[in-house]
Amino acid sequence: MSTDGSTGSSAEEWAAVKPGDVLAVFDADKAVAVWTEAAERLWGYSSDQVLHSPAKGLLSPGAPEVARVFAGSPWSGRVRIRCCDGREASADLRVTPLDADGAGWLVWRPSVFGRPGFDQGAGDALFHHSPISLVIWDRELRCVWFNDSVHNQNIYTSEMELGGYVTDVIRAPHPEFLERAMERVFRDGVPLVGYELWPTGARVPDRYYHVALIRLDGADGRPLGVCSVAVPASIGQQGGRLRLLNEAKSRIGTDLDPLVTSQRLAETAVPNLADYVTIDLVQAVPLDKEPLRRLKSTGTSIPGFYRAAAASIHDDLRESLWARGTPVYVPPASPFTTVLKNRRSYFEPVLDTSPGTWLDNDPDRAQVIRQTGMHSLMIVPLQARGATLGIAVFVRSQNPVPFSRADLALAEELAARAALIIDNALRYTRERTTALAIQRALMPHHLSGGSTVEVATRYLPADTHAGVGGDWLDVIQLSDARVALVVGDVIGHGINAAVTMGRLRATTRALSKLELPPVELLRLTDELAVDIARDCSEGGTSTPSAFGATCLYGVYDPKSQRCTMSSAGHPPPAIVFPDGSVDFVEVPPGAPVGVGLGSFESTEVELPDSSVIALYSDGLIEMDHDIDRGLQRLRTALASPFSSLNNLCTSVVDTLAPDGPVDDDITLLLARTHPAADY
């Protein structure tokens, strides 16, 4: 087509349209129906200013080309336009009728097409003869442009037209999944590559498509819509599998909760690989559940697994007979038990539901299979470090294409990756539960300062990958109504840290009964910790870090209203005075106990009646890895008005601790001095 006002065929015009060139769509009444960012830049009008207004107002009134623009046939040339600021400008435009009846016009600008050196045949091949279909959807997911290739792909309706909503023009069993994917791409801006789409009524494996979704952004960064690119499976099949593996790699393994990991595996495989996926483990992952061996069998089934995860193309999980965290019953002779025993995958691309199969002994499952149309099945063992953790079940129902051997290989790859993470999660869960049990058993269950001080405490164990730490606290009543206050933090996490905590707490409690000054008590604790470490190490060599811990030990004397404190590398205590002011006590920080240096100093601070002593572990002040900022936040929290010591304790932890998981144990001990009595 020339640019001197000559016309050409509608097919040629459509073949030449490039998505980035589209300016506007005029409806049958010659009003603006679609207005793009490119049109805003050319004319200066926003979409709110021109939508549904007469299109002729965009052209110079005296321009002779006005009549040609709406003549009903394709037109191309230079035209005078009227901009938002009132000035006139020249622009090269092309106008293409949407159909022969004048139902509307597409207005666009030529770009590379027609430029010297560009092969027009290449453009025609891409937009007219290519097996790749291109469709542009606006912000409301309505079609605003497509190339001719959509007519050669049976995933679109036979009468594809502009303005059609995505679920109305896509021919697939579940077009709402593509709708959700488009909404996510438009919202997040992250392209989706390799989405698999099966046309309604497809019967052979090569009659499906890989669809890529890409958000289209304007020059100002605002999203304009979504572009979908559909490629026949024979062209893009390998890329889709690699994309699924990459997605699994990024999603599976970011959490050490076995239930979360299992659920992410199931959700990754739906709907691109299967319509329904379950992950069933051979042990009770929720550790408070009843063990499988104590569950009773039914007349036809045994409790073989626990349901860890389930995902489906149906939001109501209509395929699932068992909820997550509950026992899964299977027939003694079934593919599920066979996979568990033989540790090899079970592959049934066309599920046999006729009489005489294993389903005869599983009537409930057979009924669900018939109701939901399940027709293809894969059962893959979850194996890691020589152990079988459970099974992953993949099913197709709405997707009419049977599973292939390539699908089985992909499922086994996904299961192998997930099994290793699940095994790590199970090991972590067991160790954390054991460490918590030890921690709770060795921590005091009831603390009292007698008539001398009122106490309130809080302890939050770490719940991230590092595991439970070795924080402890103690309140010990001494002679003459004196009270010892202790907070410590063992270096490290896990079971060893919890056991070390118990030993050090017992040591400080025993030494406190000797009425030792804080400096002397920490010195002896340091020596004993080194001895314990030497006894436990191989070859009798000392390994101080094995029993290293920070500790702050203080003794409050109500007669003198003074508190003497010594620190073994622990954060400074805070004092809340009766007037509401907060100060941190400058206690000389010695080395942690267990290092063997044994050099400590003490500080004495005077405390008026109703003062509050705050001892804590570093987990409370190192949320953002900035100790100074953490101390300032603690000062602000302690200075807040409070009705009771318990309320203040809760308020401080809620203010400083994050809503999500914590990386380190959090320990807080508050002690409020009572008015002096006669001693």
Side-chain angles (χ1 to χ4, degrees), residues 119 134 242 447:
D119 184 1
L134 301 172
L242 291 176
L447 295 175

Side-chain angles (χ1 to χ4, degrees), residues 131-464:
I132 300 174
S133 67
L134 301 172
V135 183
I136 297 179
W137 313 84
D138 64 12
R139 295 182 178 94
E140 286 73 40
L141 301 187
R142 296 190 179 277
C143 175
V144 296
W145 182 86
F146 55 84
N147 68 348
D148 283 353
S149 297
V150 300
H151 301 302
N152 303 322
Q153 295 183 348
N154 56 349
I155 55 175
Y156 305 99
T157 57
S158 58
E159 298 180 357
M160 182 76 168
E161 60 182 16
L162 295 176
Y165 190 69
V166 56
T167 55
D168 296 329
V169 299
I170 294 294
R171 296 180 64 252
H174 291 278
E176 66 272 12
F177 279 95
L178 184 62
E179 175 189 28
R180 295 175 192 170
M182 285 185 175
E183 290 174 344
R184 186 170 67 250
V185 170
F186 184 82
R187 180 183 66 250
D188 301 337
V190 180
L192 177 62
V193 181
Y195 187 98
E196 294 182 3
L197 197 65
W198 283 264
T200 302
R203 288 291 180 268
V204 293
D206 61 349
R207 293 295 300 277
Y208 68 96
Y209 298 84
H210 291 288
V211 178
L213 303 175
I214 307 167
R215 191 173 77 178
L216 302 177
D217 294 338
D220 59 357
R222 290 197 304 165
L224 304 175
V226 176
C227 177
S228 63
V229 183
V231 183
S234 57
I235 298 177
Q237 183 173 7
Q238 185 63 28
R241 297 186 184 278
L242 291 176
R243 181 203 60 77
L244 190 58
L245 288 174
N246 287 334
E247 181 181 349
K249 185 177 180 180
S250 64
R251 294 189 64 190
I252 301 172
T254 59
D255 195 288
L256 277 180
D257 184 329
L259 292 180
V260 172
T261 299
S262 300
Q263 186 62 30
R264 285 177 178 167
L265 168 61
E267 292 174 351
T268 299
V270 174
N272 286 331
L273 178 60
D275 295 330
Y276 173 58
V277 175
T278 62
I279 308 298
D280 298 328
L281 302 182
V282 295
Q283 59 178 308
V285 176
L287 299 177
D288 57 342
K289 298 292 182 181
E290 188 176 10
L292 286 172
R293 63 181 178 272
R294 297 180 59 186
L295 296 171
K296 295 181 179 180
S297 302
T298 67
T300 58
S301 298
I302 59 174
F305 306 92
Y306 267 100
R307 176 63 42 88
S312 168
I313 59 173
H314 301 112
D315 293 335
D316 58 2
L317 285 174
R318 64 191 63 174
E319 303 94 337
S320 184
L321 292 170
W322 297 279
R324 293 180 66 196
T326 62
V328 175
Y329 286 78
V330 296
S334 68
F336 311 104
T337 53
T338 300
V339 168
L340 193 62
K341 178 181 179 181
N342 297 336
R343 305 173 69 176
R344 292 193 298 270
S345 298
Y346 177 84
F347 180 57
E348 191 172 0
V350 179
L351 185 59
D352 185 3
T353 58
S354 61
T357 67
W358 61 274
L359 287 171
D360 290 347
N361 296 323
D362 201 346
D364 292 337
R365 191 176 271 106
Q367 182 179 1
V368 170
I369 289 174
R370 288 190 294 269
Q371 290 175 345
T372 59
M374 298 182 187
H375 63 85
S376 194
L377 172 67
M378 299 186 298
I379 306 175
V380 179
L382 296 170
Q383 302 179 80
R385 300 182 177 95
T388 302
L389 308 178
I391 58 174
V393 181
F394 303 83
V395 177
R396 281 183 178 170
S397 54
Q398 297 297 318
N399 178 357
V401 181
F403 285 123
S404 64
R405 287 288 177 182
D407 293 324
L408 178 61
L410 178 59
E412 290 176 336
E413 177 69 18
L414 291 173
R417 295 188 181 195
L420 186 61
I421 304 302
I422 292 173
D423 185 57
N424 290 339
L426 291 172
R427 291 167 182 260
Y428 165 77
T429 300
R430 287 193 292 266
E431 180 172 333
R432 183 175 187 275
T433 301
T434 302
L436 272 176
I438 295 173
Q439 184 89 328
R440 288 167 179 161
L442 298 178
M443 285 276 277
H445 298 284
H446 177 70
L447 295 175
S448 173
S451 60
T452 301
V453 295
E454 173 191 359
V455 297
T457 64
R458 292 293 184 275
Y459 169 71
L460 297 180
D463 46 14
T464 57

